[in-house]
């Protein structure tokens, strides 16, 4: 079972992949900012930060087929 930090990293990677496919510069910028925040929160979890992550929404796991 993946850790919460690993799930956050997966979300960051998905944001980056979506940004690469986007033709809209505003959407691309937003996705890259989200990826950066997911990664920052993953790092905070790995460091054992006492405070909760930044308030990013709790990730929903998708069933992989």
């Amino acid at each position: 079972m993946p850790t919460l930090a690993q799930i956050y990293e997966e979300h960051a990677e998905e944001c980056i992949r979506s940004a690469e496919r986007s033709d809209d510069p505003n959407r691309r910028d937003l996705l890259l900012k989200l990826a950066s925040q997911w990664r920052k929160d993953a790092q905070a979890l790995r460091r054992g930060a006492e405070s909760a992550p930044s308030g990013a929404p709790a990730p929903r796991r998708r069933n992989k087929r």
Side-chain angles (χ1 to χ4, degrees), residues 39-65:
R39 285 213 163 126
K40 179 180 174 185
D41 290 346
Q43 289 172 350
L45 285 171
R46 286 189 180 103
R47 285 192 309 266
E50 302 218 354
S51 62
S54 73
R60 289 182 283 142
R61 294 290 295 165
R62 290 181 278 173
N63 292 335
K64 294 184 180 181
R65 295 180 184 183

Side-chain angles (χ1 to χ4, degrees), residues 10-65:
E10 289 175 17
H11 282 284
E13 289 300 320
E14 182 61 33
C15 287
I16 291 168
R17 285 190 295 273
S18 294
E20 289 171 348
R21 292 187 303 263
S22 179
D23 293 330
D24 180 348
N26 291 327
R27 181 180 174 100
R28 187 172 32 251
D29 288 345
L30 175 62
L31 288 163
L32 292 174
K33 286 178 186 176
L34 287 170
S36 176
Q37 191 61 55
W38 280 118
R39 285 213 163 126
K40 179 180 174 185
D41 290 346
Q43 289 172 350
L45 285 171
R46 286 189 180 103
R47 285 192 309 266
E50 302 218 354
S51 62
S54 73
R60 289 182 283 142
R61 294 290 295 165
R62 290 181 278 173
N63 292 335
K64 294 184 180 181
R65 295 180 184 183

Side-chain angles (χ1 to χ4, degrees), residues 2-14:
T3 66
L4 188 55
Q6 289 169 329
I7 293 169
Y8 282 14
E9 287 290 347
E10 289 175 17
H11 282 284
E13 289 300 320
E14 182 61 33

